[in-house]
Amino acid sequence: MNSPVSSSHTPPAAPPRLVPPRRPLEGYFFDDYAVGQHFYHATPRTVTAGDVALYIALTGARQPLHCAETVAHQLGYPYCPLDDLLVFHIAFGKTVPDISYNAVANLGYADCRFLLPVYAGDTLRCETQIMGLKENSSGKTGVVYVRSHAYNQRDENVLTWVRWVMIHKRELVNPEAQKVITVAAAIMPLVPDFPAVVSPDEWAVPAFIQPSKLTPQMTGSNRFWDDYQLLETIKHPTGITLDESDHTLATKLYQNTARVHVDLHHMEQSRFGRRLIYGGHIISICRALSYDGLENVLSIAAINSGRHSNPVFAGDTIYALSSVAAKWPISHVLGALQLTLTGLKNLDPNLAVTDAVDVVENNPQAVVLSLNYTVLMPRRPCL
Amino acid sequence: MNSPVSSSHTPPAAPPRLVPPRRPLEGYFFDDYAVGQHFYHATPRTVTAGDVALYIALTGARQPLHCAETVAHQLGYPYCPLDDLLVFHIAFGKTVPDISYNAVANLGYADCRFLLPVYAGDTLRCETQIMGLKENSSGKTGVVYVRSHAYNQRDENVLTWVRWVMIHKRELVNPEAQKVITVAAAIMPLVPDFPAVVSPDEWAVPAFIQPSKLTPQMTGSNRFWDDYQLLETIKHPTGITLDESDHTLATKLYQNTARVHVDLHHMEQSRFGRRLIYGGHIISICRALSYDGLENVLSIAAINSGRHSNPVFAGDTIYALSSVAAKWPISHVLGALQLTLTGLKNLDPNLAVTDAVDVVENNPQAVVLSLNYTVLMPRRPCL
Amino acid sequence: MNSPVSSSHTPPAAPPRLVPPRRPLEGYFFDDYAVGQHFYHATPRTVTAGDVALYIALTGARQPLHCAETVAHQLGYPYCPLDDLLVFHIAFGKTVPDISYNAVANLGYADCRFLLPVYAGDTLRCETQIMGLKENSSGKTGVVYVRSHAYNQRDENVLTWVRWVMIHKRELVNPEAQKVITVAAAIMPLVPDFPAVVSPDEWAVPAFIQPSKLTPQMTGSNRFWDDYQLLETIKHPTGITLDESDHTLATKLYQNTARVHVDLHHMEQSRFGRRLIYGGHIISICRALSYDGLENVLSIAAINSGRHSNPVFAGDTIYALSSVAAKWPISHVLGALQLTLTGLKNLDPNLAVTDAVDVVENNPQAVVLSLNYTVLMPRRPCL
């Protein structure tokens, strides 16, 4: 997932502007961004038990750590931490008005790390720095590389991630509009370099966690870290069909304002002719589906890379496959699995006569997600 | 929005009945009402963080005061107050079984005032008094004018509003049914008079509020009360498409029992052939859309008048325009804006070559909402 | 609802297995079960105010005991107890992965008793014992009889119920798969006997409850236990249409993994060609509809028996009828009503010229639910 042209990981420093200029109502375009720009995103959001219930209703997520106070307490948490992806989506939503309101596509994710648990009652806010810019050869769009951070109400950094998005150039959409900022990107393309995989020393493992307290009775499976084989592939058994109302509820819950997800009248003019489902919702659906086969995953340490290969629309049924890409022991009670999570639409891998890898390779049009992420899992208890 | 025939603001007193008669299962009809009748509406409702999360999911609302505890605290609130419209819809829902179960249409609103903040954990109940009655010339329907009040668990009045609804006459729907109450309306029509605009001395501004604590970093905009021009019109940038499941979830959340919104089998026999979307949901959608351009609105002081000009159905995409109808300074840190919020279906005002007023006048069939309301907004900080 | 072949109520004891074997990803089949098997179901779930709000949004439920803290307190409850059916669905959902993942149909319920109130913050977990097995004459499926228990975080039994489900045999679905457990069912069919009606001495009536505090102002009706006549039938006045997104949100909220409800791609291959709506959701919809006419029901003491006579699909509109099957006084302030709740699809009983019983008998294809249950209701206050 690394970009071909590399540069320094840290962009040139730019003094943060404490009072941001007013965002244009039509949003920013590619030529409005400059490397080093810093955004303080608006509309902080307190997460609550209401969000947790909605997340379960929207995805069917079942991980006990995020659903059961009893389990969270036994594992050492003071309260039930929110599902990592719920935190991600709410944080991501904060960045959309400033970063991807006019995005053509979200091209990729990298170096996403979950740094601290988030609990119901915490308030999230976000900041983003422009890390790189590259005009596309068409001259109509460009790619913007950004790093975002989410903070809680104590200004503790709970999440950081990088993404790159393809964004229209302003003059092509609205030739008469004044540019918000004179762009330097066309002159000096800068494509930052991100790690292909978040290194183990960057995972944030809570010091208090007692992994051995996660039992098969809680999760439904006696397969722990030691039981997963390198390159093993798991075909998750069922699928979930997405409909218009549920994906738009998800998008609005996350206060994600990208009109491609919620504005049918607008999208009828697009090449798709309909609303696109937010890619993050696909990640959540695939992860929820992956519960059956990966029941003892505790939490996500990092998302190493990810891309949405094909669009998903209402009516599509999503299936998922997981492969074990790498394994690391962390202690005698905890390990990490690097997993490749593949989302498929309208193709049940369980019905395929070929193996999982062939299913993916033979059906590229069905692949909607390729996510490489690292999870924590208790090691097999000594019985 | 005032009615042509006016009378006293206060209706003839009627002794409240402490034990209401049993509501007929088929609901009340026009000829069941009498001026002065007082209803204690059933099914009080505790509002919670669950309602708040659902309201965000249903509308995409982003106002920090209603979404972020940190912002509420800085502004002086003990907790995050519920969105004014969420309170309105839940209160409104309480009145439906007694008032508008058999409504043909909700014709208008007036003199709606938000008197006290409502917090998660508060329990709302409602009362309504019949203020006026007027039989329509067709002889088949009549208009009922009512004032409703919502109270919290301390019997504090948190909200009051007037509405008038067109309701079928009983004998035409069910000629054999006994009338619940002998009607006097046909004999003496009474059309009460309501103020066209709620006067500034009736706005309830919390004494504790510190408007200057609302910052552009919280809201995403540095435009404050002083920056809005009289008659300025704002075309809000995006649209939201409504689908069957999300509008019916909203209606059921508000425990609004009007079958026109939720009973397709019944509505297939109507002239629409399908379910009508609850007009209050359109108000909420338009207000959520209006965030981009009116980011620093603190709260709603009053809804002066409103009407639903055309029905909205699943599949329609809603857009919104706001115009500044009047401005009042309240203090050196706070002002009020009287806004006209216009909802349009399947017509993006941003694509129109004409100005906003012409968009509305040239497309009357697209206008689904005309709401005149007054909001509080911090004044521009002295920098 | 009793089964033709009877046996002892208590199955042969089997030692509980503390560490369950790993559930096969494809789920269990009929030939995997043995009488006496005991399942500790995974993924305990803390119920919250978020679940309560979603339940209202999904069903339109209005019972004040479950919606208003003020009412709950006056009745003697420390907090608002969750709707009995919300507890049932979440508990039921826990059992699905082990019991009915491969169910053809949920054939019936019996002896379901609500033993203790459940409050927001409680954590539910479930266990199930296999009570009986009977192969069907086709040789392709069998019926599994199970008793399930739900416990709170203090290991108090809050709910118990029996159900029987028709389940595919493994070899017909997946002939090459190894059987998980050698089946004894084909050799010795065991059909347990359950009571037709839960006897009054098994109802759990909270000792603290003060039924006389439920007033007509809270509920909207002055009809109490004494006012209902034996064999009286109530045609509930309205209907609710179900759409894909709302029924799948319900299913996922309950973490019910049965793919017949959520996986369209899979169901397109079935004889239905589409997703089936979870029968429990139909029970909740019918019960919510029954509020108008049964306003003073306090809570459910028991579900005596129930079956889903016909499948329900998105687009269907559900109506409900209730009949009073039996009455018991409990004290001078409380009584019990045994009710038959009938759900109808796309048939409004209020429009029928015939009486309610004839509506049901003449339209068997429209009947989607027959639920016999017992509710608590305050007696008429001495005025």
Side-chain angles (χ1 to χ4, degrees):
Chain A
M1 298 293 299
N2 269 9
S3 305
V5 185
S6 75
S7 76
S8 123
H9 192 157
T10 310
R17 273 168 293 171
L18 288 178
V19 178
R22 182 162 61 95
R23 180 174 56 241
L25 285 188
E26 73 279 15
Y28 294 114
F29 289 87
F30 175 70
D31 25 358
D32 296 329
Y33 294 104
V35 171
Q37 253 180 310
H38 191 100
F39 290 88
Y40 291 87
H41 303 301
T43 67
R45 169 90 146 71
T46 302
V47 294
T48 71
D51 298 303
V52 171
L54 267 165
Y55 189 76
I56 295 174
L58 290 165
T59 66
R62 281 177 287 151
Q63 280 193 283
L65 174 60
H66 305 306
C67 300
E69 286 282 358
T70 51
V71 173
H73 292 164
Q74 284 175 72
L75 286 164
Y77 288 82
Y79 318 100
C80 225
L82 268 67
D83 194 299
D84 307 296
L85 292 175
L86 172 56
V87 173
F88 178 81
H89 299 321
I90 289 177
F92 185 99
K94 301 287 111 204
T95 72
V96 167
D98 292 320
I99 303 301
S100 49
Y101 188 80
N102 291 308
V104 181
N106 212 37
L107 299 178
Y109 307 98
D111 197 24
C112 172
R113 286 172 274 132
F114 296 89
L115 303 172
L116 279 177
V118 174
Y119 303 108
D122 283 352
T123 300
L124 300 177
R125 64 173 188 83
C126 288
E127 300 181 17
T128 292
Q129 193 155 17
I130 308 296
M131 306 291 288
L133 290 167
K134 187 168 72 85
E135 197 174 350
N136 283 332
S137 54
S138 72
K140 295 179 181 171
T141 57
V143 180
V144 180
Y145 300 80
V146 302
R147 173 174 291 283
S148 299
H149 294 275
Y151 299 92
N152 67 15
Q153 68 278 12
R154 289 180 298 275
D155 285 328
E156 295 165 332
N157 190 188
V158 299
L159 172 63
T160 180
W161 76 100
V162 162
R163 62 173 171 136
W164 47 104
V165 279
M166 192 194 301
I167 301 180
H168 284 295
K169 289 177 77 173
R170 177 174 287 273
E171 59 260 41
L172 291 157
V173 174
N174 189 358
E176 295 164 39
Q178 224 187 342
K179 285 183 189 181
V180 174
I181 292 166
T182 306
V183 67
I187 301 165
M188 191 180 68
L190 176 66
V191 177
D193 189 26
F194 304 113
V197 175
V198 174
S199 81
D201 56 7
E202 297 216 60
W203 303 332
V205 180
F208 55 70
I209 204 170
Q210 303 197 37
S212 59
K213 296 295 177 66
L214 195 75
T215 68
Q217 279 198 22
M218 294 172 181
T219 63
S221 170
N222 57 8
R223 287 197 88 198
F224 289 96
W225 181 86
D226 304 81
D227 302 307
Y228 288 88
Q229 304 306 313
L230 203 60
L231 303 184
E232 172 181 351
T233 295
I234 301 152
K235 294 175 178 180
H236 303 299
T238 191
I240 287 182
T241 305
L242 302 178
D243 300 282
E244 296 291 10
S245 281
D246 47 73
H247 84 80
T248 58
L249 284 170
T251 302
K252 289 180 287 182
L253 179 69
Y254 306 142
Q255 298 174 313
N256 179 327
T257 60
R259 69 195 303 186
V260 294
H261 307 315
V262 296
D263 184 342
L264 172 61
H265 185 69
H266 172 72
M267 291 304 288
E268 281 173 344
Q269 313 306 318
S270 75
R271 67 187 171 101
F272 300 116
R274 54 195 304 201
R275 285 168 282 179
L276 284 173
I277 295 181
Y278 163 51
H281 191 46
I282 306 305
I283 298 178
S284 281
I285 292 289
C286 289
R287 175 148 152 74
L289 291 173
S290 81
Y291 183 81
D292 289 305
L294 289 166
E295 295 86 349
N296 285 308
V297 168
L298 265 180
S299 60
I300 302 179
I303 296 175
N304 302 300
S305 62
R307 67 171 185 279
H308 304 292
S309 320
N310 282 291
V312 180
F313 305 105
D316 286 342
T317 302
I318 304 300
Y319 296 90
L321 297 167
S322 294
S323 296
V324 180
K327 292 184 68 173
W328 294 267
I330 293 175
S331 72
H332 67 289
V333 290
L334 187 66
L337 295 177
Q338 184 190 327
L339 300 170
T340 306
L341 177 61
T342 304
L344 298 169
K345 66 175 175 184
N346 308 321
L347 177 67
D348 184 347
N350 300 288
L351 299 180
V353 291
T354 56
D355 70 16
V357 174
D358 286 346
V359 169
V360 173
E361 289 189 353
N362 295 339
N363 297 281
Q365 79 296 342
V367 177
V368 294
L369 174 71
S370 301
L371 191 82
N372 185 305
Y373 71 124
T374 303
V375 298
L376 304 180
M377 188 183 280
R379 300 192 59 170
R380 189 171 49 222
C382 306
L383 295 176
Chain B
M1 299 295 301
N2 268 8
S3 305
V5 184
S6 76
S7 76
S8 124
H9 192 156
T10 309
R17 272 169 292 170
L18 287 179
V19 178
R22 182 163 62 96
R23 180 173 59 239
L25 285 188
E26 72 279 14
Y28 295 113
F29 290 88
F30 175 70
D31 25 357
D32 296 328
Y33 294 105
V35 170
Q37 253 181 310
H38 191 99
F39 290 88
Y40 292 87
H41 303 300
T43 66
R45 169 89 145 73
T46 303
V47 293
T48 70
D51 298 304
V52 171
L54 267 164
Y55 189 76
I56 295 173
L58 290 165
T59 66
R62 279 176 289 150
Q63 279 193 284
L65 175 59
H66 305 306
C67 300
E69 287 282 356
T70 51
V71 172
H73 292 164
Q74 285 176 71
L75 286 164
Y77 289 82
Y79 316 100
C80 225
L82 267 67
D83 194 298
D84 306 296
L85 292 175
L86 173 55
V87 173
F88 178 81
H89 298 322
I90 288 177
F92 185 100
K94 302 288 112 203
T95 72
V96 168
D98 292 320
I99 303 301
S100 50
Y101 188 79
N102 291 309
V104 181
N106 211 38
L107 299 177
Y109 308 98
D111 196 25
C112 172
R113 287 173 274 133
F114 296 88
L115 303 172
L116 279 176
V118 174
Y119 303 109
D122 284 352
T123 299
L124 300 176
R125 65 173 187 84
C126 287
E127 299 181 17
T128 293
Q129 193 154 17
I130 307 296
M131 308 289 289
L133 290 166
K134 187 167 73 82
E135 198 175 351
N136 283 333
S137 53
S138 72
K140 295 180 182 172
T141 57
V143 179
V144 180
Y145 300 80
V146 302
R147 174 173 291 283
S148 299
H149 295 275
Y151 299 92
N152 65 18
Q153 69 279 13
R154 290 179 297 275
D155 285 329
E156 296 166 330
N157 190 187
V158 298
L159 172 64
T160 180
W161 75 101
V162 162
R163 62 173 171 136
W164 47 105
V165 279
M166 191 194 301
I167 301 181
H168 284 295
K169 289 176 77 174
R170 177 175 289 275
E171 58 262 42
L172 291 157
V173 174
N174 191 357
E176 295 164 39
Q178 222 187 343
K179 287 184 189 183
V180 174
I181 292 166
T182 306
V183 68
I187 301 163
M188 190 181 67
L190 176 66
V191 177
D193 190 25
F194 304 111
V197 174
V198 174
S199 81
D201 57 7
E202 297 215 60
W203 303 333
V205 180
F208 55 71
I209 204 170
Q210 303 198 39
S212 60
K213 296 296 176 66
L214 195 75
T215 68
Q217 279 197 23
M218 292 170 182
T219 65
S221 171
N222 56 8
R223 287 198 88 197
F224 289 97
W225 181 86
D226 303 82
D227 302 308
Y228 287 88
Q229 305 305 313
L230 205 60
L231 302 184
E232 172 181 351
T233 295
I234 301 152
K235 295 176 178 179
H236 303 298
T238 190
I240 287 182
T241 306
L242 303 178
D243 300 282
E244 296 290 10
S245 282
D246 48 73
H247 84 80
T248 58
L249 284 169
T251 302
K252 290 180 287 182
L253 179 69
Y254 306 142
Q255 298 175 315
N256 180 326
T257 61
R259 69 194 304 185
V260 294
H261 307 314
V262 296
D263 183 343
L264 172 62
H265 185 69
H266 172 72
M267 291 304 288
E268 281 173 343
Q269 314 305 319
S270 75
R271 66 188 171 103
F272 300 116
R274 53 196 302 202
R275 285 167 282 179
L276 284 172
I277 295 181
Y278 163 50
H281 191 47
I282 306 304
I283 299 178
S284 281
I285 292 288
C286 289
R287 176 149 152 73
L289 291 172
S290 81
Y291 184 83
D292 290 305
L294 289 165
E295 295 86 348
N296 285 307
V297 168
L298 263 181
S299 59
I300 302 179
I303 296 175
N304 303 300
S305 63
R307 69 173 185 279
H308 304 293
S309 322
N310 282 293
V312 180
F313 304 104
D316 285 343
T317 302
I318 304 300
Y319 295 91
L321 297 166
S322 294
S323 297
V324 180
K327 292 184 68 173
W328 294 267
I330 293 176
S331 72
H332 67 290
V333 290
L334 188 66
L337 295 176
Q338 184 190 327
L339 300 170
T340 305
L341 176 61
T342 304
L344 298 169
K345 65 175 175 184
N346 308 321
L347 177 68
D348 183 349
N350 299 288
L351 298 180
V353 291
T354 57
D355 70 16
V357 174
D358 286 347
V359 169
V360 172
E361 289 189 353
N362 294 339
N363 297 282
Q365 79 296 340
V367 177
V368 294
L369 175 72
S370 301
L371 191 82
N372 185 305
Y373 71 124
T374 303
V375 299
L376 304 180
M377 189 184 280
R379 301 193 58 172
R380 189 170 50 220
C382 306
L383 296 176
Chain C
M1 299 293 299
N2 269 7
S3 305
V5 184
S6 75
S7 75
S8 123
H9 192 157
T10 310
R17 271 169 294 169
L18 289 178
V19 178
R22 182 162 61 95
R23 180 172 58 239
L25 286 188
E26 72 279 15
Y28 294 113
F29 290 87
F30 175 71
D31 25 359
D32 296 330
Y33 294 106
V35 170
Q37 254 181 309
H38 192 99
F39 290 88
Y40 292 87
H41 303 300
T43 67
R45 170 89 145 73
T46 302
V47 294
T48 70
D51 297 304
V52 171
L54 267 164
Y55 189 77
I56 295 173
L58 290 165
T59 66
R62 282 177 286 151
Q63 280 192 284
L65 174 59
H66 305 305
C67 300
E69 287 281 358
T70 51
V71 173
H73 292 164
Q74 284 175 72
L75 286 164
Y77 288 82
Y79 317 101
C80 224
L82 267 69
D83 193 299
D84 306 296
L85 292 176
L86 172 55
V87 173
F88 178 81
H89 298 322
I90 289 177
F92 185 99
K94 303 286 112 205
T95 72
V96 168
D98 291 320
I99 303 301
S100 50
Y101 188 79
N102 291 309
V104 181
N106 211 38
L107 299 178
Y109 307 98
D111 196 25
C112 172
R113 287 172 275 133
F114 296 89
L115 303 173
L116 280 176
V118 174
Y119 303 108
D122 284 351
T123 300
L124 300 177
R125 64 173 187 84
C126 287
E127 299 182 17
T128 292
Q129 192 154 17
I130 307 297
M131 307 289 287
L133 290 167
K134 188 168 72 83
E135 197 175 352
N136 284 332
S137 55
S138 72
K140 295 179 182 173
T141 57
V143 179
V144 180
Y145 300 80
V146 302
R147 173 174 290 285
S148 299
H149 295 275
Y151 299 91
N152 66 17
Q153 68 278 13
R154 290 180 297 277
D155 285 328
E156 296 165 331
N157 190 189
V158 298
L159 172 63
T160 181
W161 75 101
V162 162
R163 63 171 170 138
W164 48 105
V165 280
M166 191 193 302
I167 301 181
H168 284 295
K169 289 176 76 175
R170 176 175 289 273
E171 59 261 41
L172 292 156
V173 174
N174 190 358
E176 295 164 39
Q178 222 187 343
K179 286 183 189 182
V180 173
I181 292 166
T182 306
V183 66
I187 301 164
M188 190 179 68
L190 176 66
V191 177
D193 190 25
F194 304 112
V197 174
V198 174
S199 81
D201 57 8
E202 298 215 59
W203 303 333
V205 180
F208 55 70
I209 204 168
Q210 303 197 37
S212 60
K213 297 295 176 67
L214 196 74
T215 69
Q217 278 197 24
M218 294 171 182
T219 64
S221 171
N222 57 9
R223 287 197 88 198
F224 288 96
W225 181 86
D226 305 81
D227 302 308
Y228 287 89
Q229 305 306 312
L230 204 60
L231 302 184
E232 172 181 352
T233 295
I234 300 152
K235 295 176 179 179
H236 304 297
T238 192
I240 287 183
T241 306
L242 303 179
D243 300 281
E244 296 291 10
S245 281
D246 47 75
H247 84 81
T248 57
L249 285 169
T251 301
K252 289 179 288 181
L253 180 69
Y254 306 143
Q255 299 175 313
N256 179 329
T257 60
R259 68 193 306 185
V260 293
H261 307 314
V262 297
D263 183 344
L264 172 62
H265 185 68
H266 171 71
M267 291 304 288
E268 281 174 343
Q269 314 305 319
S270 75
R271 67 189 171 101
F272 300 116
R274 52 195 305 202
R275 285 167 283 178
L276 284 172
I277 295 181
Y278 164 50
H281 191 46
I282 306 305
I283 298 178
S284 281
I285 292 289
C286 289
R287 176 149 152 74
L289 291 172
S290 79
Y291 184 82
D292 290 306
L294 289 166
E295 295 86 348
N296 285 308
V297 168
L298 265 181
S299 59
I300 302 179
I303 296 175
N304 303 301
S305 63
R307 68 172 186 279
H308 304 293
S309 321
N310 281 293
V312 180
F313 305 104
D316 286 342
T317 302
I318 304 299
Y319 295 91
L321 297 166
S322 294
S323 297
V324 180
K327 291 184 69 174
W328 296 266
I330 293 176
S331 72
H332 66 289
V333 290
L334 188 65
L337 294 176
Q338 185 191 329
L339 300 169
T340 305
L341 177 61
T342 304
L344 298 168
K345 65 175 175 184
N346 307 321
L347 177 68
D348 183 348
N350 299 288
L351 299 179
V353 291
T354 56
D355 71 16
V357 174
D358 287 346
V359 169
V360 173
E361 288 188 354
N362 295 338
N363 297 280
Q365 80 296 341
V367 177
V368 294
L369 175 71
S370 301
L371 190 83
N372 184 304
Y373 71 123
T374 303
V375 299
L376 305 181
M377 188 183 280
R379 299 193 60 171
R380 189 170 50 221
C382 305
L383 295 175

